[in-house]
Amino acid sequence: MTSFPSRSPFMLPELDRHIASHMDRASLACAARVSKLWYDIFSPVLWRHVSLKHLSEDDNYDDEFNFIPWTPSASSPPSLPSSCSSTWSSWSSSSFPRSSAPLSQESSLSSSSPGVTALHNSKLSLVQRAFVHASRNKVLKGLVRHGHHIIELTATGITDQEMGVIRQCCTNLRVLELIGGRYSAENLTDLFQMRRESIQTVRFRSCVILKDIFQPLAHLSNLREFELYGSFVGNTITSPYFFQQDLYPMLRACPLLRTVLIDQVYIIDQQVGQTFDVTSSLAVSGEGGGGGGGGGGPLVGSGLVSSGPASMLSVHLKAARSQPYITVPPPSSSLKKFSLDCGDIPASVIMAFLATCPQLQELALKWSRELCDFSLTRLYAKCPRLTHVSLHRCEQITEVGFKTLFKSYPNLVTLDLSHNVLSDSVLEELARSCRWVQHLSLNHCRNVTEVGIQQLLLNLGSLTHLCLRFIPGISCLMFDNVLTAGLPPVQLSPLIAYPPSDFGTFVPRPWACHDTLETLLLPDLVQPSRAMLEQYHHNMFLSAKLDPVEPVGALESDAIVQKGLGQFTHLQTMTLGGNNMEMRIALSGLISSHKLSSLRITKLKRVMTIADAEWLIESGFPKLQQLSIPQFGNPQVTEWIRMKQPGILSTDK
């Protein structure tokens, strides 16, 4: 028997893992086929992160494992249905030809490593083995031999049969991400019960139907992170009933849970077609009750009765609004990150839940139609450790609530106030109170002018990401801080050290974030409003000690933008545009041109030419990796860029 040389003493396991961590999947697959020694080194790394996709009848290979040829066999058993709702009970051994050879002889999975293969094959039932043998999915076949190496699995549109193979083979699974497909409590209970000690993260993304999925999650005692995004859910999410029936039981069963994200969830609401007693429907039993595991006691309704067809969700909401939401105090939670699309959930219900999360650090309450200023005044008493806050499109919150939030949390790091009605006074309070903000998003905010944005640029010295997309009415004057130098004492921010009485010594103050800002997403710059233009000219007269009677020259908007952008030394990502903007003039003053890797141009004064594109790619920004330009432009420019640097260009409508 041929003996293979032992590994070199200089090849340490730590060095093996370090080398493998820098290799892509194709390189790992090639290295694993060199020798048995290399197979033992690189195969576990190759199978650590796997994507399993359900193959239709038209698919002939797997994208990630297409280096293995597949030859169809004439005697292969018939393929199982591709419906995601099929069950194991519909299949038996009689469904396959009796003349088929034994699986141990035909399956290529048993050709090597017989010990490991026999170990994992013994866990599969006869029907499961036949299903794997008949499948053309190489990733699914690989689970039988390498499933114990898999730590993170992304499954797209898988069937019940494939879920069963995952359950039996992936013994060390920690991260499970399910994309697409239909899943219910029956599909997931067996998997979560068998892998309750290993699974730590569960993600559902863009699933067709999810029904009662919170019940099986209670089996995962080691769950750390749960995400539900962009799926159609057939239960009680976005109603008060969701907290009592679904969320609280999951928190009790998963004491290690730290992150809960529920975003862009579409509700498949039930219809009440007969007389419906809301009081009885909201009554939830205790720990041993039915339903979703019960809650922390009875849920008192209002006695509302609905006759005729109605929405179950709307009935619950009406009952919750007509009388205070009375519950036994929910369990104390160790959550550190919570995100929810609130919808019509009453503010009292949300605040009662937040009272159980004193360790919460990241909070996102989006699309709320119930949160108000009073809710934000009580937020600090319930969650004093918040550093990341998102209040995306909260319609009832006014300036008073936002200012209270800034004063309560001076150590905020990330703040998202997109799609809200703000004002310059709100941004002034933000610049005064929260000096350590790094990520700030103000997309689609209204009632914001150039003065408020300048307050942020002049005072937030730690700012790294600033998003100002789709703010109406912003002009090039946001880049000239002369605009804030001559404000009357009543409107002047205490942070702006410009004495209004002595403009002769006025020296433009640099942006506070000039050496920290890395991402700047600007709106489409427009012509300045009349009031803003008059204020700007007035300040210019005072600062230069000119006669106000003298005529004012034309506003050089491109030069102002050029001067303002020239102060940023570390910009890497930028969005810029405007109907009156000359691209080459506005961007020529950027000091960090050698660092800029992503540029998006939305609008320009004129159509871009090949000379502009040549300057942009070769001279202006040689390190550019992503470039986005308007779709309706010069097609010759688009062709030239794609020929010059393939893969760099994308077009926007």
Side-chain angles (χ1 to χ4, degrees):
M1 184 175 180
T2 305
S3 61
F4 293 92
S6 59
R7 60 183 290 122
S8 170
F10 298 100
M11 292 295 293
L12 302 177
E14 294 81 2
L15 184 58
D16 296 339
R17 290 192 293 268
H18 180 71
I19 294 174
S21 64
H22 293 277
M23 300 171 64
D24 56 15
R25 297 190 63 82
S27 301
L28 288 171
C30 293
R33 302 175 68 180
V34 171
S35 65
K36 289 186 176 181
L37 178 61
W38 281 34
Y39 177 86
D40 295 336
I41 294 175
F42 296 103
S43 180
V45 183
L46 175 64
W47 286 90
R48 186 172 299 172
H49 306 281
V50 175
S51 296
L52 174 63
K53 181 180 179 181
H54 176 74
L55 296 182
S56 62
E57 296 180 357
D58 298 332
D59 297 328
N60 293 326
Y61 60 88
D62 300 294
D63 292 337
E64 294 196 4
F65 292 85
N66 56 5
F67 51 84
I68 303 177
W70 177 78
T71 56
S73 175
S75 61
S76 298
S79 60
L80 297 181
S82 60
S83 173
C84 295
S85 59
S86 57
T87 57
W88 283 106
S89 59
S90 61
W91 289 94
S92 61
S93 58
S94 61
S95 303
F96 304 99
R98 296 184 179 180
S99 60
S100 299
L103 294 178
S104 59
Q105 298 178 10
E106 290 189 3
S107 176
S108 61
L109 298 177
S110 58
S111 59
S112 62
S113 301
V116 176
T117 305
L119 175 64
H120 289 280
N121 273 337
S122 63
K123 297 181 180 180
L124 298 177
S125 65
L126 179 62
V127 178
Q128 289 174 329
R129 296 183 192 181
F131 170 72
V132 173
H133 173 73
S135 175
R136 296 176 289 109
N137 195 323
K138 299 181 181 64
V139 180
L140 185 66
K141 291 178 180 291
L143 295 184
V144 180
R145 183 189 303 174
H146 305 283
H148 60 288
H149 293 310
I150 296 177
I151 296 178
E152 181 175 351
L153 176 64
T154 301
T156 303
I158 61 174
T159 63
D160 297 344
Q161 293 89 343
E162 293 166 338
M163 181 79 76
V165 176
I166 294 173
R167 180 178 66 249
Q168 297 293 340
C169 298
C170 301
T171 56
N172 297 315
L173 185 63
R174 296 183 184 179
V175 180
L176 175 62
E177 183 174 0
L178 299 176
I179 303 176
R182 303 168 182 261
Y183 307 101
S184 62
E186 293 78 9
N187 304 124
L188 301 173
T189 299
D190 294 339
L191 172 63
F192 291 165
Q193 282 182 343
M194 183 169 291
R195 302 299 166 217
R196 58 182 178 273
E197 297 295 337
S198 63
I199 294 181
Q200 299 180 6
T201 301
V202 176
R203 303 188 185 105
F204 295 96
R205 297 184 182 274
S206 304
C207 296
V208 179
I209 291 181
L210 296 175
K211 186 177 181 181
D212 299 328
I213 59 172
F214 291 92
Q215 299 178 17
L217 286 171
H219 297 290
L220 299 177
S221 58
N222 202 25
L223 186 65
R224 310 292 178 89
E225 180 180 343
F226 171 73
E227 295 184 13
L228 178 60
Y229 180 83
S231 301
F232 292 85
V233 179
N235 52 15
T236 57
I237 292 181
T238 73
S239 73
Y241 201 47
F242 158 70
F243 289 87
Q244 192 74 11
Q245 181 180 0
D246 296 328
L247 187 57
Y248 290 158
M250 185 175 67
L251 293 178
R252 290 191 186 93
C254 308
L256 300 179
L257 190 61
R258 297 293 182 268
T259 301
V260 175
L261 303 178
I262 303 176
D263 293 338
Q264 297 189 18
V265 174
Y266 305 93
I267 309 303
I268 303 176
D269 202 4
Q270 304 178 21
Q271 295 295 324
V272 182
Q274 55 185 357
T275 302
F276 178 74
D277 188 355
V278 178
T279 305
S280 61
S281 71
L282 291 180
V284 182
S285 59
E287 289 287 337
L299 198 76
V300 180
S302 62
L304 247 166
V305 177
S306 174
S307 299
S311 168
M312 180 81 73
L313 178 58
S314 62
V315 171
H316 284 154
L317 292 175
K318 292 179 181 178
R321 288 195 185 93
S322 59
Q323 184 172 342
Y325 198 75
I326 304 174
T327 60
V328 174
S332 180
S333 170
S334 300
L335 279 180
K336 294 186 177 181
K337 184 177 182 180
F338 181 71
S339 176
L340 177 66
D341 284 356
C342 301
D344 292 321
I345 299 179
S348 58
V349 178
I350 298 176
M351 300 310 294
F353 168 74
L354 294 180
T356 67
C357 307
Q359 301 182 22
L360 203 64
Q361 298 178 2
E362 301 183 28
L363 175 63
L365 300 175
K366 307 175 183 178
W367 297 86
S368 175
R369 290 181 285 272
E370 299 293 333
L371 286 177
C372 58
D373 297 341
F374 182 68
S375 305
L376 296 185
T377 58
R378 298 185 298 158
L379 184 60
Y380 182 77
K382 303 178 184 300
C383 306
R385 301 184 180 182
L386 288 179
T387 57
H388 301 71
V389 175
S390 176
L391 297 174
H392 180 93
R393 199 187 286 270
C394 294
E395 301 174 354
Q396 301 298 326
I397 301 179
T398 65
E399 297 182 10
V400 178
F402 289 123
K403 292 180 180 180
T404 303
L405 177 70
F406 303 152
K407 294 177 182 178
S408 302
Y409 296 98
N411 295 322
L412 283 179
V413 176
T414 301
L415 183 61
D416 184 1
L417 301 178
S418 301
H419 290 270
N420 286 300
V421 180
L422 306 179
S423 65
D424 291 341
S425 62
V426 173
L427 300 186
E428 181 181 336
E429 184 61 44
L430 171 61
R432 179 187 299 111
S433 302
C434 305
R435 292 297 193 92
W436 308 108
V437 171
Q438 298 179 8
H439 296 251
L440 179 60
S441 179
L442 302 176
N443 296 333
H444 290 276
C445 286
R446 290 172 289 171
N447 294 352
V448 174
T449 68
E450 297 89 339
V451 176
I453 297 176
Q454 280 195 19
Q455 303 280 15
L456 304 176
L457 295 175
L458 289 170
N459 297 282
L460 299 182
S462 300
L463 198 62
T464 59
H465 292 72
L466 179 59
C467 302
L468 306 172
R469 292 293 296 153
F470 306 109
I471 298 180
I474 301 299
S475 68
C476 63
L477 295 182
M478 64 168 287
F479 289 106
D480 196 335
N481 54 19
V482 175
L483 187 64
T484 56
L487 291 178
V490 178
Q491 303 178 16
L492 183 65
S493 169
L495 299 175
I496 307 299
Y498 295 135
S501 59
D502 188 9
F503 280 90
T505 59
F506 167 72
V507 177
R509 182 183 172 189
W511 309 129
C513 54
H514 66 93
D515 58 348
T516 60
L517 194 66
E518 298 177 355
T519 300
L520 178 61
L521 308 182
L522 296 172
D524 294 338
L525 302 180
V526 298
Q527 289 289 348
S529 63
R530 181 176 179 180
M532 204 62 60
L533 198 58
E534 290 179 354
Q535 181 67 38
Y536 176 77
H537 288 157
H538 178 71
N539 295 351
M540 288 293 293
F541 282 129
L542 295 178
S543 61
K545 292 185 178 181
L546 300 177
D547 186 0
V549 182
E550 294 183 5
V552 179
L555 187 66
E556 298 179 357
S557 57
D558 296 329
I560 295 177
V561 175
Q562 179 191 48
K563 182 179 179 181
L565 292 178
Q567 298 187 36
F568 300 114
T569 59
H570 291 80
L571 270 183
Q572 299 178 9
T573 303
M574 186 171 61
T575 298
L576 184 68
N579 290 329
N580 298 309
M581 179 176 298
E582 286 284 350
M583 180 191 66
R584 297 184 65 170
I585 299 178
L587 296 177
S588 59
L590 202 59
I591 300 178
S592 58
S593 59
H594 62 288
K595 298 180 180 179
L596 195 69
S597 59
S598 177
L599 176 62
R600 180 182 180 185
I601 300 174
T602 56
K603 293 181 180 180
L604 291 174
K605 184 177 181 180
R606 56 179 177 82
V607 178
M608 185 184 299
T609 62
I610 295 180
D612 296 333
E614 184 177 359
W615 171 84
L616 189 65
I617 294 178
E618 297 181 352
S619 303
F621 306 99
K623 299 295 183 64
L624 202 61
Q625 299 177 2
Q626 295 179 357
L627 175 63
S628 178
I629 61 177
Q631 181 178 4
F632 301 102
N634 190 346
Q636 297 180 355
V637 174
T638 303
E639 295 177 1
W640 184 88
I641 296 177
R642 288 175 176 171
M643 180 184 63
K644 195 69 176 179
Q645 291 194 9
I648 192 178
L649 183 64
S650 62
T651 56
D652 292 337
K653 294 183 179 180

